[in-house]
Amino acid sequence: KKILLEFVSSNPTGPLHIGHGRHAAYGDSLANLLRKAGNNVRTEYYVNDAGRQIDILVTSILIHVLNNKGALLKQPKISYQGAYIEDIAQQIYALFKSNILALLDNSALKNTYPAKTKDEEVDLIINDFKQHLGSEIFAALSSAVTEIVVKNIKNDLENFGVVFDNWFSEKEMINKGQINQSISVLKDKKYVYKDGGALWFETSKFNDDKDRVVLREDGSSTYFASDVAYHLDKRNRGFDLLLNILGSDHHGYVPRLKAGLEAMDHPAESLEVILIQFVSLFRGNKKIQMSTRSGDFIPLMELLDEVGKDAARFFYVSRSNDQHLNFDLDLAKAKNNDNPVYYIQYAHARIHTVFQELRRNDFNFDKNSGISNLGLLSTNHETEIITKLGDYPNVIALSADNYSVHSLANYLLEVAQLFHSYYNAHRFIVADSEIRNARLALIAAVAIVIKDGLSLLGVSAPEQM
């Protein structure tokens, strides 16, 4: 199949946190599995670089910059905060120094904005900044801020071993008129109606629980309208299957996304959505809380600095995506057999140690002899390993078909357990050359499968530990 796999797609309003890490590890591993099973897979990150959340971010940063320069402006109740804002603020000041200094001299900027709700308050502040800066400068600020955040997200993902084939911009899609085009199609098919000044799409005709707004009263398009246009664009690029990885709190999105495709004459089954449950991070017995807006969250990079990429990626995919994950920091850092990723990597390193010992004893490994004498391997340990290795192609196929990355992780753990038992029960470097080469061929095969399986999960297979 020609598959477009979209995952992470976090709004560019701050750094990735540990919840995004689970999406990244799962999505990247699934892409590897699907390719291994013979599919043509492209990965994509959808950048929500248009809309209100970007306006709020830009406003939060502007107030931060102005206050650093002596202003006494109050941040609205809805704003983005945290250490990362300071870093972006410094870069934005360097780029827009003259515009920002002009704002400082503008006595029209208010310290308080009386409003009935926190949403009204932030909208008043946004409009005030747009008025005093001008729409072009505010748009340039928005682009600069988004570019900084997206660059940081890309760097974080690359450090995590995740590189997307494509980054799709919502703003570019809007500028190309794709949203208006998709709404025009809906109008032509008579799937829309006006009510209360807004334009509604009759998604209830396509198994959604209610109709959805695509154009607000002020004429601006909704996030859902962008989703409809985006998924139509995906299909128009020739993909058989649109595979989306979303947070479990997005389960309500699935019927409306399918409705958009069906209304555009694309089969509902061309879209599949995989839901990812939440992550809880524990340090000892203490659960660490997260909140993206307040800045009180655990950045993905902080987790990687503490436990490393290998442990983080393996732990994220070791449990089924539809189950809540409790991430145990202490276990992930442990250098012992209780840590599953360490245990698997240790099996691979142990095998290489055996071959080093072989050379120290002036023996050579005759692979052809080993393969031709595999029939001599008849102990329970050996037959169990041979059977388990024979399951590998089937594990790949089933894991890909069922989108069950954890099945591969569990399989590798079982292979490692069988090897360690074999290692403790038998010697490999024995006098009988036929037995010796057969056993070496078997453990070499174990190393091949472990290394290949770990590579699909984005985890290294060290030769010494």
Side-chain angles (χ1 to χ4, degrees):
K1 293 178 181 177
K2 190 177 180 184
I3 301 171
L4 182 61
L5 178 59
E6 182 209 338
F7 59 102
V8 184
S9 295
S10 169
N11 289 342
T13 53
L16 299 178
H17 58 61
I18 64 164
H20 300 131
R22 188 177 193 187
H23 287 243
Y26 175 83
D28 191 56
S29 300
L30 180 59
N32 293 335
L33 262 173
L34 290 167
R35 291 185 183 115
K36 183 81 171 176
N39 298 287
N40 179 354
V41 181
R42 296 276 295 175
T43 57
E44 187 159 284
Y45 189 115
Y46 178 69
V47 184
N48 294 92
D49 52 358
R52 189 166 176 266
Q53 85 278 359
I54 299 297
D55 287 348
I56 295 172
L57 176 64
V58 172
T59 299
S60 304
I61 291 167
L62 278 173
I63 291 174
H64 193 92
V65 174
L66 291 167
N67 286 345
N68 280 346
K69 299 302 172 184
L72 297 172
L73 301 176
K74 183 181 177 183
Q75 282 281 5
K77 294 182 181 68
I78 297 178
S79 65
Y80 290 97
Q81 302 174 38
Y84 73 95
I85 295 293
E86 175 64 34
D87 179 56
I88 299 173
Q90 291 177 9
Q91 295 180 66
I92 289 300
Y93 180 70
L95 292 170
F96 294 89
K97 185 175 180 179
S98 59
N99 302 106
I100 290 168
L101 291 177
L103 277 177
L104 275 175
D105 297 332
N106 195 323
S107 59
L109 284 173
K110 303 172 187 175
N111 187 35
T112 58
Y113 291 78
K116 293 180 181 178
T117 67
K118 55 188 179 182
D119 286 301
E120 287 181 5
E121 178 195 35
V122 75
D123 288 340
L124 286 170
I125 299 173
I126 291 168
N127 290 334
D128 209 14
F129 274 121
K130 286 182 176 179
Q131 180 183 342
H132 290 103
L133 282 166
S135 57
E136 287 187 10
I137 296 298
F138 194 90
L141 270 162
S142 298
S143 295
V145 168
T146 304
E147 187 177 332
I148 291 168
V149 177
V150 170
K151 182 181 178 182
N152 291 338
I153 289 173
K154 283 184 178 180
N155 288 338
D156 286 355
L157 287 168
E158 287 176 9
N159 289 332
F160 197 40
V162 179
V163 178
F164 282 88
D165 295 318
N166 189 43
W167 291 70
F168 189 99
S169 165
E170 180 188 13
K171 185 188 291 184
E172 287 183 18
M173 181 177 66
I174 292 171
N175 291 340
K176 289 177 182 176
Q178 288 176 259
I179 294 178
N180 290 334
Q181 289 166 17
S182 61
I183 290 175
S184 293
V185 174
L186 293 176
K187 286 179 178 177
D188 291 342
K189 291 177 176 293
K190 303 194 185 310
Y191 287 136
V192 294
Y193 62 90
K194 278 209 166 186
D195 185 29
L199 189 69
W200 295 72
F201 171 19
E202 292 181 290
T203 54
S204 57
K205 286 186 175 181
F206 301 94
N207 298 317
D208 195 10
D209 59 342
K210 61 181 181 181
D211 296 340
R212 308 286 173 177
V213 175
V214 287
L215 289 179
R216 301 182 184 92
E217 292 181 48
D218 62 3
S220 62
S221 57
T222 62
Y223 290 122
F224 175 54
S226 293
D227 287 335
V228 171
Y230 175 44
H231 285 79
L232 178 62
D233 181 273
K234 288 181 177 183
R235 286 288 289 173
N236 287 341
R237 282 184 268 158
F239 290 99
D240 305 313
L241 177 61
L242 314 181
L243 200 53
N244 291 6
I245 297 173
L246 300 174
S248 58
D249 55 334
H250 287 71
H251 61 88
Y253 281 54
V254 181
R256 70 188 80 164
L257 291 177
K258 287 180 177 287
L261 284 169
E262 283 192 276
M264 302 286 183
D265 298 325
H266 292 277
E269 57 269 22
S270 64
L271 170 68
E272 290 188 41
V273 176
I274 302 169
L275 298 176
I276 304 285
Q277 282 292 340
F278 296 103
V279 179
S280 294
L281 189 64
F282 285 83
R283 194 185 304 280
N285 294 321
K286 184 181 179 183
K287 182 178 178 180
I288 301 171
Q289 302 295 331
M290 295 189 303
S291 174
T292 306
R293 275 250 162 100
S294 70
D296 180 23
F297 62 90
I298 307 300
L300 177 60
M301 285 302 99
E302 189 173 310
L303 176 68
L304 296 190
D305 289 342
E306 184 158 352
V307 306
K309 177 178 77 73
D310 285 347
R313 287 204 51 153
F314 189 89
F315 270 60
Y316 273 131
V317 301
S318 61
R319 194 170 182 84
S320 175
N321 57 281
D322 60 4
Q323 295 179 340
H324 189 91
L325 175 67
N326 290 334
F327 196 112
D328 187 335
L329 276 173
D330 293 336
L331 182 60
K333 291 189 293 182
K335 302 296 183 185
N336 58 45
N337 292 343
D338 292 331
N339 181 344
V341 67
Y342 179 90
Y343 189 64
I344 296 167
Q345 289 176 320
Y346 185 40
H348 185 267
R350 257 185 162 179
I351 292 167
H352 281 271
T353 301
V354 171
F355 281 93
Q356 290 172 1
E357 185 185 348
L358 181 76
R359 290 188 287 273
R360 285 196 297 269
N361 284 280
D362 295 325
F363 286 122
N364 291 316
F365 170 45
D366 186 335
K367 186 173 73 171
N368 291 331
S369 170
I371 291 172
S372 63
N373 286 299
L374 286 174
L376 298 175
L377 303 182
S378 58
T379 69
N380 287 339
H381 289 103
E382 290 161 344
T383 55
E384 285 179 353
I385 289 175
I386 289 169
T387 301
K388 182 61 69 174
L389 294 182
D391 288 342
Y392 187 53
N394 195 43
V395 168
I396 294 295
L398 287 176
S399 297
D401 287 345
N402 298 323
Y403 310 143
S404 56
V405 177
H406 71 285
S407 298
L408 174 58
N410 292 337
Y411 168 82
L412 293 174
L413 185 57
E414 291 168 2
V415 170
Q417 289 169 336
L418 290 175
F419 167 75
H420 286 303
S421 296
Y422 185 35
Y423 181 93
N424 293 330
H426 298 277
R427 283 196 55 77
F428 306 127
I429 304 174
V430 295
D432 187 320
S433 63
E434 292 181 343
I435 293 289
R436 182 177 68 244
N437 284 314
R439 287 181 174 173
L440 292 172
L442 179 58
I443 65 171
V446 171
I448 289 169
V449 168
I450 288 177
K451 183 175 182 179
D452 190 72
L454 287 177
S455 72
L456 296 177
L457 303 180
V459 178
S460 70
E463 296 185 1
Q464 61 182 32
M465 293 175 70

